Amino acid sequence: AESRLIHHTARLDEEEAMPPKKENALTAEQVGKLRAWIDAGLPFPAPLARTDEKKGPTHWSFVPPVKAALPEVKNAAWSSAPIDRFILARLEKEGLQPSPETSRATLLRRVSLDLTGLAPSLAEIDAFEQDAAPDAYEKQVGRLLDSPRYGERWARWWLDAARYADSDGYEKDLPREQHAWRDWVIHAFNRDLPWDKFIVAQIAGDQLPDAGQDERIATGFIRNTMVNEEGAVIPEQFRLEGMFDRMEALGKGVLGLTVQCAQCHTHKFDPITQEEYFKMFAFLNNVHEAISAVYTPQQLMEIEGLTREIATTDQGIKERIPDWSQKAESWARSLPAEIAWTPLRPTSIVEAVGLVHPTVLRDDSVLCLGHKMPDNATLTTFADLPADKALTGLRIEALTHGDLPFGGPGRSFKGLFGISEVKIDTATAAEPEKWTSVALQNATSDFAQPESPIEQFFRDGEDKRLIGPAAFLIDGKEDTAWGVDRGPGRRNRDLQAVLQFAQPLAVAAGMKVRITFKFSHMGKDGFARRNNGIGRYRCSVTEA
């Protein structure tokens, strides 16, 4: 009774009737069939390309190929391989004769262009023409297949199927560093990696037993989608756009199917349902947009040596101090009781300068995945304070996340950050626009770098900016910042800083807080990509 389909086809309103021309109107019997179909719950047959119980696969791509019998030809002596018989049969059908055998120079040029994309040198042509051995041509093919140029030539087809590019696409089209995956593909062709291993490594290489750097690089296959860094984009929208593009690359490149239609409906011809599409989608949707380091062979050897040295040193310490475990436990028991912290759930977050796209997560932390944060940017968090409390301090947690560079907790090229200043203001329910500054003292952290000049990557000429202890957060100077680099292998971990209120803060009902981070330790570049901002953070308060 409420179906628009029935309303239109039954011509209840001639202005909206379908089909529009009255002479093409459906009969009462046809409309009745539509009514019965709706009453039955709109049953729909399985896709036409499903497997038939008796006949087996009905979709052409799943029907196993059958070796064809060789056709009969008149000039059987001409063919030297089975495929020649098919070519000759067609030529004879068209009344044509095969071309005469070409010269050695032309033959070498053809096979060189085909296998490497490059013409042979004069020396290579001379050597081939003078080689009287019966396998002279086979030797040339082997030489070309062994050439690094072979992988460079034939990898291009796979790079196209996988959407490889050296830039992000969309309006900004900024450069990206994806060449390590490109080189992996080239190397895979040159070492004749079997197809099954080639595919498994690219879809789940990091999940293989004893996965190393090569296996992780291979998974760059599903990181070739475009990235939109335009200012007003909704990050989640374009993340999903990238996911759909990956599904299409998997479908066409790996499965040999056009799966994208099933994004919106069960396909009538390709053998995939909408439910199956999103089951496969879920596998990709539950992974992080990880950014990993890629090391040279020499660097990998250095890392292996340092790892062994650290293990040897650790073992030596334990042998010199046999009761180290008991001493560590005793020290842990001597620490003060853990302080109770109340997380503040942001009600809004404001960027004065920059495009970091902050998102509040379920655990009250804020994730900033936008790439652009220029120097002198601020990030301000607004939240409601817990009523009827006498608050004594604020904790700032810098937290790791799989979507940040190297896991974070920052957005720099090492996954770190530098916060120059922190300012806290409060406003009452009676005067919500009147903000009062909260005096801070005794800033501490669980880790901070020794005071030193800012890293060279961010420097700009005679740069006097410093990084160092958490005290820099509240020293009133924008050229100092809390620095958090623990060093290789240890830097990408959770951190926290605690700021004590100079006087306990009595919180009345409806009181709000404004926490402002100042970032003055970025680098200078045209696209604000020398980022040194926070990646994920959470603010909490305590009465302790």
Side-chain angles (χ1 to χ4, degrees), residues 442-471:
N442 192 28
T444 58
S445 62
D446 56 359
F447 179 82
Q449 293 173 244
E451 181 177 330
S452 58
I454 190 173
E455 187 159 357
Q456 185 65 39
F457 181 78
F458 301 108
R459 295 178 69 80
D460 181 27
E462 293 295 323
D463 203 321
K464 297 182 179 179
R465 291 178 295 174
L466 302 173
I467 50 103

Side-chain angles (χ1 to χ4, degrees), residues 362-383:
R362 292 181 181 178
D363 64 354
D364 301 322
S365 65
V366 178
L367 181 61
C368 303
L369 291 181
H371 293 283
K372 297 184 68 174
M373 181 179 275
D375 210 23
N376 296 314
T378 60
L379 192 61
T380 304
T381 300
F382 295 84

